[in-house]
Amino acid sequence: MKKRIVIIGGCAAGPKTAAKSRRMNPDSEITLFTKSPQVSYSACGLPYYVGNRIDDIKKLEIRTVDDFKKNNINIHLNSECTKILPHKKEIIVNNEYVPYDDLVIATGAIPNTPNIKNCKLKNVFHLRFLSDGVNVKNIAKMSKSVLIIGFGYIGLEMVEAFLNNGLKVHIVENHPHIMSFLDEEFSDLVEKYIKERDKDLVEIYKDDLVTEFIGEEQFEAAITESGKRIEADFCLIATGVEPNTSLAKDAGVMLGYANAIKVNHKMQTNIENIWACGDCCTKYCLITKLPTYFALGSIANKEGRVCAINLNGEEEHFPGVLGSSVTKYYDFSISVTGINHHWVMDRCREHNVEAISATVTKLDRPSYMPEARPITIKVMADKKTGKLIGAQGVGIGDVDKRINIMTSALLKGATVDDFMHLDLTYTPTISGTIDPLLTACYKLKEQM
Amino acid sequence: MKKRIVIIGGCAAGPKTAAKSRRMNPDSEITLFTKSPQVSYSACGLPYYVGNRIDDIKKLEIRTVDDFKKNNINIHLNSECTKILPHKKEIIVNNEYVPYDDLVIATGAIPNTPNIKNCKLKNVFHLRFLSDGVNVKNIAKMSKSVLIIGFGYIGLEMVEAFLNNGLKVHIVENHPHIMSFLDEEFSDLVEKYIKERDKDLVEIYKDDLVTEFIGEEQFEAAITESGKRIEADFCLIATGVEPNTSLAKDAGVMLGYANAIKVNHKMQTNIENIWACGDCCTKYCLITKLPTYFALGSIANKEGRVCAINLNGEEEHFPGVLGSSVTKYYDFSISVTGINHHWVMDRCREHNVEAISATVTKLDRPSYMPEARPITIKVMADKKTGKLIGAQGVGIGDVDKRINIMTSALLKGATVDDFMHLDLTYTPTISGTIDPLLTACYKLKEQM
């Protein structure tokens, strides 16, 4: 009999598992259920659709139902799985029982909903599905102002998107500094750039919390903990996500860190023949060797691939993650990898790692090149072993390249000594003779 | 008595050694002799000065004589050292004896001069000193056509520089394909781009050799081995460089690979108190563990720094190089690292390394982003150990980032298995979910 692979979830990890499974095993029966009206779409592209950099929402559909059909993969849209019955090896979708030989849970993450009074109003949005993007773009086109709650990656990307639509943007962040995964000095540089570039167009409220919405049916204003009243034509909530795991939990699938589904390096859960991948799963931090959690499309895709390989009888281990991430606000980049945040450092200390750091601000190219731009990079190492453990960077120069070079160095535990002489490429149009990363390592070396 | 540090050579490694020595040892007497009329300049910037991207030649002077004077470093311009007397610990400059406690040879590289009949004509140039850049730019402004001999990095950069001055460019390369350090398929992509972009403006003659110049005093035309006559208003010779080591050799300093000065990881030569760094020295290849040679400003600067550290009594080892390099032709990048060239592969085979490779052409960002551009990347590994050994890449997309990520992975001998799940950053404006580098690794994995 044909092996029946059933996948729940249609954004990134699920479709990836389906496509890779098909390539590995032409004979299996592959069925994917998603509660969304689309499958295999790039939610990460939504800010650029709203911001008019992508003209057609259809471009964010990576693969359509027809594409999958051609590969003999059955996609059921608008089909929410309501129960998993592991002992029967069945799931329930639209009140029907669907049997599986192998089940893949790729239910992703759902937006955090902050505790706000009177929050069930029209004109309050999250960004998750393509339809959210369409709705937000439509209202942006008719509006003059917006309130964004949450100043992380999506918050920042949506500031740009709304500015591109000519809106006045209000944005509230409950941390004392924006992009709170950055160190304060780096966060300040981001805020400075926004203020220099878009002075009167962006109003930032830090260290404050929206507690109540004003309006009868429609959103009219928000009241904050500090007593501010912020009026806007509509509101976008971007306060992060949490793993979408209630379905799995009800079925007895074990959860771990951050209430995400606990998986091993083969993407297996605690229940036989039930696999999980993507934003609904725990991650393993390559530096701390501890469980961690990130909801990132890059990781989801890789996990989907590894999941497919293992469930189709070959073996491959997904080693873990570094939490590498990047975004841009117009020409200004923000990028991090590994252990670089103050709060992770605290966690390090608990594990007897003494982290040291060095920060460098330097041009990304020789000063004589007109295209030279400054970047600020912080590199961190474990003082005892000399091993590099992470980096963060911001600036209008090429930050992302440096962070990825560091990501690669973290892979095999390069030390400051190993890394400081690294033979990086050099040509005046792209880079300088001594990269800012290496200058930071020279400074680290002096501390050791 | 104050320690007397004498340095011969004023481009990159020499000035770096001087500056770092001063920071380490405020009391030493530091004297630098250079036969050039400038010190501490970026020869790598000359194509961009000629090509009108840098408006003032003075911008290429990284540090002036006055800058050094302020740090109590004596610079002697136009001062050629004609002899080293190791037994007396003296050198001869302008017929005067100059004593040293430590001598640093940083004499760099000199242009290869091809064997051409009637080559002593006016209007035939090399690019080495800033004055060469000024002379070439002046003649370019008055001319309509140019012949470049040699199609490597400098040749390519000068094609762009001359096109920016409105010239018709003829360029001769004796290898069967241009940029001969690339594999043929990659070289072809570069040539295709040039032809698409600048069809009638660039005439490329491959697999041919200039054997004779025509002209009485002034260059008028070149005759090639295949019998072609190429007319142009002036000629630039860019056929690579060789280490400038005759002075060192005469003094009994041992030469090694490629007739470069043999140095250890501390930048010591075979003669006590004589050090060497920069383009005049042998390099050590981190992958093959064999001596090699590259003339690159990035390496020269790093070696100058390490040389200074060791000669001032501390210890630091320069581990070696990967031959990482990059250049751009307008928006098209070419970048390599490690063992990626067919001829190095041949050398590998001699040492019992079976190299395998995978080539991927892919967009550098998600296809829905308007700024997505293709890159072609080849990744190589040692089949037996699975270790990555190098990569080359070309394209209008962000090639250089990928090559540097690979450079970093080569540092600690990452294998294909280690690298293929690497947690690189992702955001649609900068990169895709699965980087082309990782896709190449998936393909390599299939071959293993």
Side-chain angles (χ1 to χ4, degrees):
Chain A
M1 211 179 87
K2 284 182 182 178
K3 178 175 177 139
R4 293 162 303 184
I5 301 170
V6 171
I7 300 165
I8 309 169
C11 182
K16 186 83 189 177
T17 308
K20 178 79 182 166
S21 291
R22 174 53 73 230
R23 281 195 293 275
M24 292 188 68
N25 186 351
D27 292 327
S28 59
E29 190 183 299
I30 305 175
T31 312
L32 184 150
F33 297 95
T34 172
K35 70 175 177 186
S36 159
Q38 285 97 17
V39 67
S40 187
Y41 57 94
S42 173
C44 305
L46 287 174
Y48 310 103
Y49 169 72
V50 175
N52 305 317
R53 291 173 67 168
I54 301 167
D55 53 0
D56 185 353
I57 192 78
K58 285 204 180 303
K59 290 188 180 169
L60 295 184
E61 297 178 26
I62 310 296
R63 281 163 294 202
T64 63
V65 172
D66 278 349
D67 293 336
F68 284 103
K69 204 169 214 168
K70 276 177 208 152
N71 287 309
N72 195 22
I73 296 169
N74 306 305
I75 306 287
H76 297 268
L77 303 178
N78 304 304
S79 301
E80 186 169 3
C81 170
T82 48
K83 208 166 180 64
I84 300 169
L85 306 163
H87 51 291
K88 292 186 166 179
K89 294 179 87 171
E90 288 176 348
I91 65 169
I92 302 179
V93 182
N94 299 333
N95 296 317
E96 284 182 31
Y97 288 78
V98 180
Y100 65 78
D101 295 313
D102 281 286
L103 177 68
V104 179
I105 304 176
T107 44
I110 44 176
N112 278 322
T113 303
N115 188 13
I116 296 171
K117 264 190 245 169
N118 188 30
C119 72
K120 300 272 176 208
L121 292 178
K122 282 185 192 167
N123 291 359
V124 174
F125 300 90
H126 288 96
L127 264 194
R128 188 182 177 203
F129 300 115
L130 295 190
S131 54
D132 295 326
V134 172
N135 293 336
V136 169
K137 186 163 179 165
N138 285 342
I139 193 163
K141 294 229 167 288
M142 299 182 305
S143 303
K144 290 189 173 155
S145 63
V146 60
L147 166 64
I148 303 173
I149 304 179
F151 207 139
Y153 280 107
I154 305 297
L156 180 75
E157 290 165 6
M158 291 308 293
V159 173
E160 178 179 327
F162 290 135
L163 288 179
N164 287 351
N165 283 285
L167 301 189
K168 161 98 185 188
V169 181
H170 300 269
I171 180 161
V172 180
E173 168 60 45
N174 69 334
H175 283 88
H177 59 278
I178 65 169
M179 311 292 282
S180 63
F181 57 89
L182 294 175
D183 280 338
E184 203 165 328
E185 58 188 298
F186 284 73
S187 163
D188 288 346
L189 289 170
V190 183
E191 190 173 343
K192 187 166 164 251
Y193 182 78
I194 295 170
K195 286 188 172 157
E196 279 172 7
R197 191 189 182 284
D198 300 298
K199 204 176 179 230
D200 303 318
L201 301 170
V202 184
E203 205 77 56
I204 300 171
Y205 311 80
K206 292 180 289 186
D207 208 3
D208 208 350
L209 207 62
V210 170
T211 51
E212 185 181 351
F213 285 162
I214 305 296
E216 301 234 327
E217 285 195 4
Q218 301 265 340
F219 172 88
E220 288 171 18
I223 304 296
T224 71
E225 202 174 41
S226 73
K228 288 194 186 69
R229 179 191 166 97
I230 307 170
E231 293 184 7
D233 295 336
F234 68 104
C235 175
L236 177 79
I237 299 179
T239 48
V241 296
E242 55 190 56
N244 182 20
T245 53
S246 51
L247 180 72
K249 190 183 171 189
D250 287 349
V253 174
M254 197 186 289
L255 304 188
Y257 186 81
N259 286 319
I261 297 172
K262 202 172 170 179
V263 287
N264 63 16
H265 292 296
K266 292 164 87 173
M267 312 313 298
Q268 288 170 308
T269 70
N270 63 310
I271 299 180
E272 212 175 339
N273 298 113
I274 299 187
W275 312 73
C277 51
D279 292 356
C280 60
C281 296
T282 55
K283 317 296 166 197
Y284 177 79
C285 173
L286 289 171
I287 307 286
T288 61
K289 319 287 183 201
L290 295 171
T292 184
Y293 180 71
F294 295 99
L296 289 165
S298 45
I299 298 173
N301 270 282
K302 285 168 198 160
E303 288 182 348
R305 182 182 162 278
V306 171
C307 181
I309 290 171
N310 289 297
L311 85 78
N312 287 288
E314 291 186 24
E315 187 164 338
E316 194 164 304
H317 284 210
F318 186 70
V321 302
L322 295 161
S324 312
S325 57
V326 65
T327 193
K328 271 182 112 173
Y329 178 77
Y330 295 99
D331 291 331
F332 192 93
S333 303
I334 297 144
S335 188
V336 302
T337 189
I339 292 172
N340 59 82
H341 322 314
H342 44 93
W343 51 269
V344 190
M345 280 183 71
D346 291 343
R347 214 167 142 197
C348 273
R349 223 165 283 129
E350 287 168 25
H351 289 83
N352 205 18
V353 171
E354 189 190 342
I356 53 171
S357 71
T359 300
V360 166
T361 297
K362 197 173 168 180
L363 293 173
D364 61 351
R365 282 152 235 234
S367 57
Y368 57 75
M369 292 306 291
E371 57 264 57
R373 299 283 177 272
I375 63 177
T376 300
I377 294 260
K378 177 180 181 171
V379 176
M380 294 182 59
D382 175 347
K383 189 170 182 175
K384 223 166 20 184
T385 61
K387 279 188 186 175
L388 293 165
I389 56 175
Q392 61 181 291
V394 301
I396 50 172
D398 191 348
V399 167
D400 181 62
K401 171 174 137 180
R402 275 76 192 188
I403 294 300
N404 282 294
I405 292 168
M406 181 55 64
T407 296
S408 188
L410 295 179
L411 191 63
K412 298 281 282 181
T415 64
V416 173
D417 276 328
D418 295 326
F419 190 78
M420 65 192 292
H421 305 288
L422 186 59
D423 191 9
L424 298 168
T425 65
Y426 159 59
T427 193
T429 49
I430 295 185
S431 51
T433 54
I434 307 271
D435 197 86
L437 274 178
L438 305 186
T439 310
C441 282
Y442 300 162
K443 287 178 78 173
L444 275 178
K445 175 87 178 169
E446 284 166 17
Q447 290 176 53
M448 291 188 332
Chain B
M1 209 180 89
K2 284 181 182 176
K3 176 176 178 138
R4 292 163 304 184
I5 301 170
V6 171
I7 299 165
I8 309 170
C11 180
K16 186 80 188 179
T17 308
K20 178 76 182 167
S21 290
R22 174 53 74 231
R23 282 195 294 275
M24 292 189 67
N25 185 350
D27 292 327
S28 58
E29 192 185 298
I30 305 175
T31 312
L32 185 150
F33 297 96
T34 173
K35 69 175 175 185
S36 158
Q38 284 97 17
V39 68
S40 187
Y41 57 93
S42 172
C44 305
L46 287 174
Y48 312 102
Y49 169 72
V50 175
N52 306 317
R53 291 173 67 167
I54 301 167
D55 53 359
D56 186 352
I57 191 77
K58 285 204 179 306
K59 289 188 180 168
L60 295 184
E61 297 177 27
I62 311 297
R63 282 163 294 201
T64 64
V65 172
D66 279 350
D67 293 337
F68 283 103
K69 204 170 214 169
K70 277 177 207 152
N71 286 311
N72 195 22
I73 297 169
N74 305 305
I75 306 286
H76 298 267
L77 304 178
N78 305 304
S79 301
E80 186 169 3
C81 171
T82 47
K83 209 167 181 61
I84 300 169
L85 305 164
H87 51 291
K88 291 185 167 179
K89 295 179 85 171
E90 288 176 348
I91 64 169
I92 302 179
V93 182
N94 298 335
N95 296 319
E96 282 183 32
Y97 289 78
V98 179
Y100 65 79
D101 296 313
D102 281 286
L103 178 68
V104 179
I105 304 176
T107 45
I110 43 175
N112 279 323
T113 302
N115 188 14
I116 296 172
K117 264 190 246 170
N118 189 31
C119 71
K120 299 273 175 209
L121 293 178
K122 279 184 194 168
N123 291 358
V124 174
F125 299 91
H126 289 95
L127 264 194
R128 187 181 178 206
F129 301 114
L130 295 190
S131 54
D132 295 326
V134 172
N135 292 336
V136 169
K137 185 163 179 166
N138 284 342
I139 194 163
K141 293 227 167 291
M142 299 182 305
S143 303
K144 289 190 173 154
S145 64
V146 60
L147 166 65
I148 302 173
I149 304 178
F151 207 140
Y153 280 107
I154 304 299
L156 180 76
E157 290 166 6
M158 290 309 293
V159 173
E160 177 179 329
F162 290 135
L163 288 179
N164 287 352
N165 282 285
L167 300 189
K168 161 97 185 188
V169 181
H170 301 268
I171 180 161
V172 180
E173 168 59 45
N174 68 335
H175 284 89
H177 59 278
I178 65 169
M179 312 291 284
S180 63
F181 57 90
L182 293 175
D183 281 338
E184 203 166 326
E185 59 188 297
F186 284 72
S187 163
D188 288 345
L189 290 170
V190 182
E191 190 172 342
K192 186 165 166 250
Y193 182 79
I194 295 170
K195 286 189 172 156
E196 280 171 7
R197 193 190 180 284
D198 299 300
K199 205 176 180 224
D200 302 318
L201 302 169
V202 184
E203 205 76 59
I204 300 170
Y205 311 80
K206 292 179 290 186
D207 208 3
D208 208 351
L209 206 62
V210 170
T211 51
E212 185 180 352
F213 285 161
I214 304 296
E216 300 236 324
E217 283 194 6
Q218 301 265 341
F219 171 88
E220 287 171 21
I223 305 296
T224 71
E225 203 174 42
S226 74
K228 287 193 187 71
R229 179 191 166 96
I230 306 168
E231 293 185 7
D233 294 337
F234 67 102
C235 175
L236 177 78
I237 299 178
T239 47
V241 296
E242 55 191 57
N244 182 19
T245 54
S246 52
L247 180 72
K249 189 183 172 193
D250 288 348
V253 175
M254 196 184 290
L255 303 188
Y257 186 81
N259 285 323
I261 298 172
K262 202 171 171 180
V263 286
N264 62 16
H265 291 297
K266 293 163 87 174
M267 310 315 297
Q268 288 171 310
T269 70
N270 63 312
I271 299 181
E272 211 175 340
N273 297 113
I274 298 187
W275 312 72
C277 51
D279 291 356
C280 59
C281 297
T282 56
K283 316 296 166 199
Y284 176 79
C285 172
L286 289 171
I287 307 286
T288 60
K289 319 285 183 201
L290 295 170
T292 183
Y293 180 72
F294 295 99
L296 289 165
S298 46
I299 298 174
N301 270 281
K302 286 168 197 158
E303 288 182 346
R305 182 183 161 276
V306 171
C307 181
I309 290 171
N310 289 297
L311 85 77
N312 287 288
E314 290 185 23
E315 188 165 336
E316 195 164 303
H317 284 210
F318 187 70
V321 303
L322 295 162
S324 312
S325 57
V326 64
T327 193
K328 272 182 112 172
Y329 177 78
Y330 295 100
D331 290 333
F332 192 94
S333 302
I334 296 143
S335 189
V336 301
T337 190
I339 293 172
N340 59 82
H341 322 314
H342 45 93
W343 52 270
V344 189
M345 279 183 71
D346 291 342
R347 215 168 143 196
C348 274
R349 224 164 282 130
E350 287 168 25
H351 289 83
N352 205 19
V353 170
E354 189 190 343
I356 53 172
S357 71
T359 300
V360 166
T361 296
K362 196 172 168 180
L363 294 174
D364 62 351
R365 282 153 237 235
S367 56
Y368 58 76
M369 292 305 291
E371 55 266 56
R373 299 284 178 272
I375 64 177
T376 300
I377 294 259
K378 176 180 182 171
V379 176
M380 294 184 57
D382 175 348
K383 189 169 181 176
K384 222 166 20 185
T385 61
K387 278 187 188 175
L388 294 165
I389 57 175
Q392 61 181 294
V394 301
I396 50 173
D398 191 347
V399 166
D400 180 61
K401 172 175 136 179
R402 275 76 190 187
I403 294 300
N404 281 293
I405 292 168
M406 181 55 63
T407 296
S408 189
L410 295 179
L411 190 63
K412 296 282 281 181
T415 63
V416 173
D417 276 328
D418 295 327
F419 190 78
M420 65 192 291
H421 305 288
L422 187 58
D423 191 9
L424 298 168
T425 65
Y426 159 59
T427 194
T429 50
I430 294 185
S431 50
T433 55
I434 307 272
D435 197 86
L437 274 178
L438 305 186
T439 310
C441 282
Y442 299 162
K443 288 178 79 173
L444 275 178
K445 175 87 180 168
E446 284 166 14
Q447 291 176 51
M448 291 189 330

